[in-house]
Every structure is written in C-alpha cells, then in structure tokens.
Amino acid sequence: MSLYRTRPRRAETILRPVHPNAGLEAEYRRRLTALIDEMGRSLTYWLSAAYRGNSPEIAEDELPAETMRRAIRRLARRWQANFNDLADDLAAHFAKSVGERSDANLKAALKKGGFTVEFKMTRAQRDVLNAAVHENVSLIRSIPQQHLAQVEGMVMRSVQTGRDLGQLADDLQQQLGVTKKRAALIARDQNNKVTAALTRARQVEMGLTEAVWRHSGGGKHPRPKHVKANGQRYDLRVGLPIGDKGQNVLPGEEIGCRCIGRAVIPGFA
C-alpha cells in the first residue's frame, strides 16, 4: 500500500465546436437579396423606358447608345448610394450579432466540458469585430459595382447588335440571378469566417493553443487537403499548411470553407 495520496488527474478536454448560426446567415442574405431585387426592378423599368425612347430625359437628337449609357450611369449612382447606406448598418449589426452568438455558444461548450468562464469585450475581440465590419462594408458595396458593370456592358451590346427589348429583359434577369447567388455566398462565407475568427480569439485569450480540425463533410466539391486534414491537430494561432496556395489556413478562413475547429483544453494533475 502506498503511503502517499495522489491528487486526481484530469484528462484533456476537446470542446464541442462552435458552429456558425444559420439564422444570422439567413437574415444577412435576406436583407441583401431584398435590396438586389429592388435594384433589379428599378433597372428593368428605367432601362426599358429608355430603350423604347419613352424616358422624358431623352434628347430628341441623342444617339440610342448615349441615351442608354446616361440612363445606366444615373441608375448606378442611385443604387450605389442605396447599398452604401445599407452597408454600414448591416455590417455592424451582423458583426455584433455573430459576436454575441459565438460567445454564448463557446460558453455552453465550456460549461459542458466542466468549465465556467465569463467573457468581456477585449482589444482582440474589438480588432476582430472592426476587421469584420470593414470587410463586410467593402463586400456589400461591391455588389452593385459588379452588377451594374455587367449590366452596362449587356445594354451596350444589345444596342449595338439591334436586339429587341425582350432579349435585354431576359439578360437582365439572368444577371440578377448571378448577383443574388454571389450575395448568398457572401452571407454564408462571412458568417463562417467571422464566427471562426471571434471564437478563436476567445480561445487564444484563454491560453488555449491547440485544436482539432474537423471537415464539414458537405459541399459538392470539397477541398481534398481539407478532407485529409480531418482529425489533425493544429496550433490555434497558425493553422495548417493546406491553403489553396499552400499557405497556412485556419478552419473557415478560405472562401466556401465550412470546416470547424475543436479546441483542446490540456489535462492536468
């Protein structure tokens, strides 16, 4: 019989993952899509009027191509301003909401693992939130820029080749669909990235250094390197060298990546 009493040992704990909130992604996508649809209706109405020569702003001796170009650029200024107005409000609201949800989910994961932690707003969290707001503002403002550039080229080609209004209307609807798909990608990708970045910042603040990579198992064309990384351990501050260009990346960092990390709390005696 040993005369020494040993202190209980605790095995390491692998926390459950903090997943992006589907409701926040849906709200973000809904608000973008609503404004895109409104822009689409406006473009179809005013460009159709200009195409027919019914716009009151058309000069009698103006060439059709110049008429359409003026109409597009007038609409572009209007809709760029509308998206700019949305960008600041939506980006700030989204980042704040993701921060609150990711903190709540991380708290729940820690509690399930037997740990209680109170979170406060820190400099690291503010840095991540500010970066998220700036990136989202830029992405939202880019939506009308890209869409209207495509529309202008489409309209000019239509005028030059003498196509009818029906074909132009079909082309406008097709481009609208492309833009809405891009908005959905932005919503999903930003939800993944911001959730992962805020959660990782909290974990590093707690002194955690290691996590386990988990592939989502979804997507039509998963990245082979990400699939192979499933179950591998990585430094929370560095990631794994499995990026599209061979660089170190973290779960959720690359476009379309839905992978997540499970932080490791070391065991102790």
Side-chain angles (χ1 to χ4, degrees):
M1 179 185 296
S2 172
L3 297 178
Y4 299 96
R5 304 180 76 184
T6 59
R7 297 177 65 185
R9 299 179 63 87
R10 178 165 186 150
E12 70 176 17
T13 301
I14 299 179
L15 297 179
R16 69 184 188 187
V18 175
H19 291 283
N21 185 275
L24 293 179
E25 178 189 331
E27 180 188 1
Y28 191 115
R29 185 178 64 248
R30 179 187 60 77
R31 291 186 65 180
L32 288 180
T33 301
L35 194 56
I36 290 168
D37 280 333
E38 190 178 345
M39 176 174 66
R41 289 191 293 270
S42 172
L43 289 173
T44 299
Y45 176 82
W46 289 109
L47 290 177
S48 296
Y51 205 88
R52 293 191 187 99
N54 295 331
S55 172
E57 298 181 16
I58 296 176
E60 291 183 3
D61 58 348
E62 190 172 58
L63 294 173
E66 186 58 33
T67 296
M68 299 304 294
R69 184 177 289 108
R70 284 201 312 111
I72 292 169
R73 292 185 179 175
R74 184 178 65 253
L75 290 165
R77 288 192 296 271
R78 177 190 306 171
W79 283 103
Q80 188 65 61
N82 288 344
F83 273 85
N84 289 352
D85 289 342
L86 172 72
D88 291 333
D89 174 62
L90 178 55
H93 172 71
F94 170 71
K96 181 175 181 291
S97 299
V98 171
E100 291 171 350
R101 294 294 180 91
S102 60
D103 273 357
N105 289 341
L106 181 56
K107 271 184 172 181
L110 287 163
K111 186 175 182 180
K112 190 173 180 65
F115 302 89
T116 301
V117 178
E118 288 299 321
F119 294 134
K120 295 180 180 179
M121 179 56 68
T122 63
R123 181 173 182 176
Q125 289 289 298
R126 281 195 296 271
D127 285 346
V128 174
L129 284 170
N130 286 338
V133 169
H134 288 312
E135 184 172 3
N136 276 267
V137 166
S138 178
L139 287 168
I140 293 168
R141 289 179 175 178
S142 76
I143 290 173
Q145 290 171 358
Q146 292 192 16
H147 181 77
L148 289 159
Q150 291 295 323
V151 168
E152 181 171 357
M154 191 181 301
V155 171
M156 291 299 99
R157 288 190 296 273
S158 182
V159 172
Q160 290 165 8
T161 56
R163 294 181 184 176
D164 60 21
L165 180 58
Q167 181 61 54
L168 176 60
D170 290 343
D171 291 344
L172 290 173
Q173 285 303 308
Q174 184 176 1
Q175 184 58 43
L176 193 68
V178 171
T179 299
K180 288 200 284 191
K181 285 182 180 178
R182 179 168 179 261
L185 174 61
I186 288 172
R188 181 174 65 250
D189 189 58
Q190 286 301 298
N191 196 31
N192 293 345
K193 283 182 179 178
V194 179
T195 300
L198 287 167
T199 302
R200 186 166 56 250
R202 285 293 192 202
Q203 292 166 344
V204 170
E205 285 176 341
M206 292 166 55
L208 304 183
T209 60
E210 191 178 40
V212 180
W213 189 290
R214 288 298 179 195
H215 186 260
S216 67
K220 294 181 180 179
H221 304 289
R223 290 175 169 89
K225 290 181 181 179
H226 288 211
V227 175
K228 189 175 180 180
N230 188 55
Q232 289 187 33
R233 296 197 176 205
Y234 62 94
D235 189 321
L236 274 167
R237 299 156 297 183
V238 178
L240 288 172
I242 58 173
D244 291 342
K245 298 179 181 179
Q247 78 279 21
N248 284 324
V249 293
L250 292 152
E253 195 169 52
E254 291 192 294
I255 294 177
C257 176
R258 303 182 190 182
C259 298
I260 45 96
R262 298 186 65 181
V264 178
I265 298 179
F268 57 87

